[in-house]
Amino acid sequence: MTSLSDVIEAGGRRFRTATEYVAATLKQAILTGALPPGTPLRQEDLAGRFDVSRMPIREALRQLEAQGLVDFEPHRGAIVVEISLADALDNFAIRGGLEAQALRHSLPNLTAADLDRAEEVIAEIDREDDVSRMGELNRRFHMTLYAAAGLPRLLALTEQHLVAADRYLRFHLATDGDMGQVDHRAMIAACRAGDQVAALAALDRHLSTARDGLVGFFESRSA
Amino acid sequence: MTSLSDVIEAGGRRFRTATEYVAATLKQAILTGALPPGTPLRQEDLAGRFDVSRMPIREALRQLEAQGLVDFEPHRGAIVVEISLADALDNFAIRGGLEAQALRHSLPNLTAADLDRAEEVIAEIDREDDVSRMGELNRRFHMTLYAAAGLPRLLALTEQHLVAADRYLRFHLATDGDMGQVDHRAMIAACRAGDQVAALAALDRHLSTARDGLVGFFESRSA
DNA sequence: GATTGTTAGATTGGATCCAATCGACATTCA
DNA sequence: TGAATGTCGATTGGATCCAATCTAACAATC
């Protein structure tokens, strides 16, 4: 027997408008790499694949443009933005700033239950092999620590750039294999102790080592 | 005699597409307060005022939505996002994170000429009375200090949130009058000395006092 | 042989038209 | 009387159509 809430839940996962649907799906496709960087996004073609007209496609592309995921050139169309070392460094710098603030504001409000959940996510990461799922778990871990900040815009922006980082994560994992679980644990320990300085230092280490790994990957590839 | 670059410059300021034109103008109108928070943005009405069809309006609104300037509700339309103390605090937290990173990356690359220009802007602020121009000058001062960071995305995001802060600045100035010129000068001095810690501390003070002033304004208004 | 002009095809930008949805008010029924 | 239902106008979401612009290939000119 399906309860009413089940039906609502199932319906709730659907999208209220075609534009929402297209935007969410395209975003997913870009971030998972299904649409590689540089791919031209032909409106007519996409309209055919999504089985909608060109208009919702265009509105969705405008939103993705504002989020920095696609490049728009008048009368030439849209392409998936290229990823480069420069972009990756940019992303790391942005996350460094945002995540530090999120952690700073969240730490005083974190409960033991929050930290327990974060530790569970860490354990899940240890058991996981699939790369794309690891990205999601990593994101969940970080956001769990920041969720108590009570600043919705900051959190949304932080998550947006964590999601964007998934595009680089697969490169980074290809060389390194590990993804800073040591730092993850250090962050939790510092949060339990209420030690803001230590928590921020662990976060900084975490991002720095990830960044260095990525730089190494790009250098080895160009050589 | 007008040089070629003059012509290019003048032409470059025009808009290549109606959507660009509408988006830029609406954004300006929202940030300057010409369109107050909560204003419903009727597509047909705007289409008439801009003398275009509803479509460029809609695409522009989608972009502004992605930038957090308007709220979209399916089948109900768009309104200018409300400003509240919570939003202002959110904005301050975001800027705190982004500007600190921008300053950190820019400081080592700043030249004496950069700092001279920043000081000129400070002097201009002293001479200026008009509120909306002060917002622009304040923005210019900050971005001058950050411009050497060499991280285009970080800088774009920083500027975007500095621009958004203009909406709160007019409230803040209404009570305080001054806008942290002391901290501005402290930031320059620290940059000249190459003292990163002092520069970041000055920036932090700058944002904190502005935030406290705004909190005071909202509290006095609700009382 | 290199540059410039021309033309055809593809693709996007914008206008207009129709359908779906929402809010408010009137109506009905318990 | 008050809650639920039905209808209507306003407004938006989406489809289709036309015009403007870009790219590429080829012809013409110097």
Side-chain angles (χ1 to χ4, degrees):
Chain A
M1 160 189 167
T2 66
S3 75
L4 175 61
S5 57
D6 288 338
V7 178
I8 294 175
E9 168 71 325
R13 267 204 68 70
R14 286 224 179 81
F15 298 96
R16 290 171 299 179
T17 134
T19 299
E20 264 185 30
Y21 164 57
V22 172
T25 310
L26 276 184
K27 185 171 179 176
Q28 186 81 2
I30 292 174
L31 294 173
T32 61
L35 289 175
T39 309
L41 300 169
R42 300 273 153 251
Q43 299 177 0
E44 194 105 23
D45 178 45
L46 292 174
R49 290 173 191 273
F50 281 102
D51 199 34
V52 295
S53 91
R54 267 177 48 217
M55 171 152 337
I57 304 286
R58 276 163 59 176
E59 289 191 3
L61 289 176
R62 287 292 180 191
Q63 287 183 294
L64 297 181
E65 181 199 21
Q67 289 178 30
L69 289 176
V70 313
D71 268 348
F72 240 91
E73 204 78 26
H75 296 104
R76 293 188 50 186
I79 63 168
V80 180
V81 291
E82 302 282 353
I83 66 176
S84 63
L85 180 56
D87 281 328
L89 292 177
D90 225 322
N91 180 271
F92 273 111
I94 293 171
R95 280 173 56 201
L98 295 178
E99 296 196 40
Q101 286 290 71
L103 187 55
R104 226 176 253 130
H105 285 85
S106 180
L107 204 155
N109 306 325
L110 280 174
T111 66
D114 292 331
L115 294 168
D116 290 345
R117 264 187 301 137
E119 238 159 26
E120 269 179 45
V121 178
I122 286 188
E124 269 192 79
I125 295 179
D126 277 335
R127 291 193 298 270
E128 186 63 58
D129 286 331
D130 185 12
V131 174
S132 64
R133 253 197 78 60
M134 279 180 79
E136 191 193 319
L137 288 173
N138 180 57
R139 211 159 64 226
R140 180 128 49 100
F141 168 76
H142 282 263
M143 292 310 294
T144 303
L145 288 189
Y146 309 149
L151 295 167
R153 287 225 149 93
L154 172 64
L155 291 185
L157 204 58
T158 303
E159 181 157 31
Q160 186 177 317
H161 285 86
L162 267 169
V163 170
D166 275 5
R167 303 181 81 200
Y168 313 112
L169 187 62
R170 56 191 63 244
F171 290 101
H172 163 226
L173 283 176
T175 55
D176 203 345
D178 165 65
M179 59 186 294
Q181 287 281 72
V182 178
D183 293 324
H184 282 169
R185 293 201 163 83
M187 284 171 71
I188 291 215
C191 286
R192 279 206 200 279
D195 187 343
Q196 193 185 72
V197 175
L200 289 172
L203 172 62
D204 193 59
R205 266 205 316 277
H206 184 51
L207 290 174
S208 293
T209 57
R211 190 190 56 210
D212 292 346
L214 202 70
V215 170
F217 171 79
F218 269 91
E219 279 174 354
S220 70
R221 195 170 74 162
S222 68
Chain B
M1 160 190 165
T2 67
S3 75
L4 175 61
S5 56
D6 289 338
V7 179
I8 293 175
E9 167 73 317
R13 272 202 66 71
R14 285 225 180 79
F15 299 98
R16 289 171 299 180
T17 138
T19 298
E20 262 184 31
Y21 164 57
V22 172
T25 310
L26 276 183
K27 185 171 180 176
Q28 185 80 3
I30 292 174
L31 294 172
T32 60
L35 290 174
T39 309
L41 299 168
R42 301 274 154 249
Q43 298 177 3
E44 194 103 24
D45 178 46
L46 292 174
R49 290 173 191 272
F50 281 102
D51 198 35
V52 295
S53 92
R54 268 176 48 216
M55 171 150 338
I57 304 286
R58 277 164 59 177
E59 290 191 4
L61 289 176
R62 288 291 180 192
Q63 287 183 292
L64 297 182
E65 181 199 20
Q67 289 178 29
L69 288 176
V70 313
D71 268 348
F72 241 91
E73 203 78 27
H75 296 105
R76 292 189 50 188
I79 63 167
V80 180
V81 292
E82 301 282 354
I83 66 177
S84 64
L85 179 57
D87 281 329
L89 293 178
D90 225 323
N91 180 269
F92 273 111
I94 293 170
R95 279 174 56 202
L98 295 178
E99 295 195 41
Q101 286 291 72
L103 186 55
R104 225 176 254 130
H105 284 85
S106 179
L107 203 155
N109 306 324
L110 280 174
T111 66
D114 292 330
L115 293 167
D116 289 346
R117 262 186 302 137
E119 236 159 29
E120 269 178 47
V121 178
I122 286 187
E124 268 192 79
I125 294 179
D126 277 334
R127 291 193 296 271
E128 186 63 57
D129 287 329
D130 184 14
V131 173
S132 63
R133 250 195 82 60
M134 279 180 78
E136 192 194 318
L137 288 173
N138 179 57
R139 210 159 65 225
R140 180 127 52 100
F141 168 75
H142 282 262
M143 292 310 293
T144 303
L145 287 189
Y146 308 149
L151 296 167
R153 287 224 149 94
L154 172 63
L155 291 185
L157 204 58
T158 303
E159 182 157 32
Q160 186 177 318
H161 285 86
L162 268 169
V163 170
D166 275 4
R167 300 181 83 201
Y168 312 111
L169 187 62
R170 55 191 62 245
F171 290 101
H172 164 225
L173 283 176
T175 55
D176 203 348
D178 164 66
M179 58 187 296
Q181 288 280 72
V182 178
D183 293 323
H184 281 169
R185 294 202 163 82
M187 285 173 70
I188 291 215
C191 286
R192 278 206 201 278
D195 187 343
Q196 194 186 71
V197 175
L200 288 173
L203 173 62
D204 193 57
R205 267 206 316 278
H206 184 50
L207 290 174
S208 294
T209 57
R211 192 190 55 209
D212 292 345
L214 201 69
V215 170
F217 171 78
F218 269 90
E219 278 174 355
S220 70
R221 195 169 75 162
S222 68

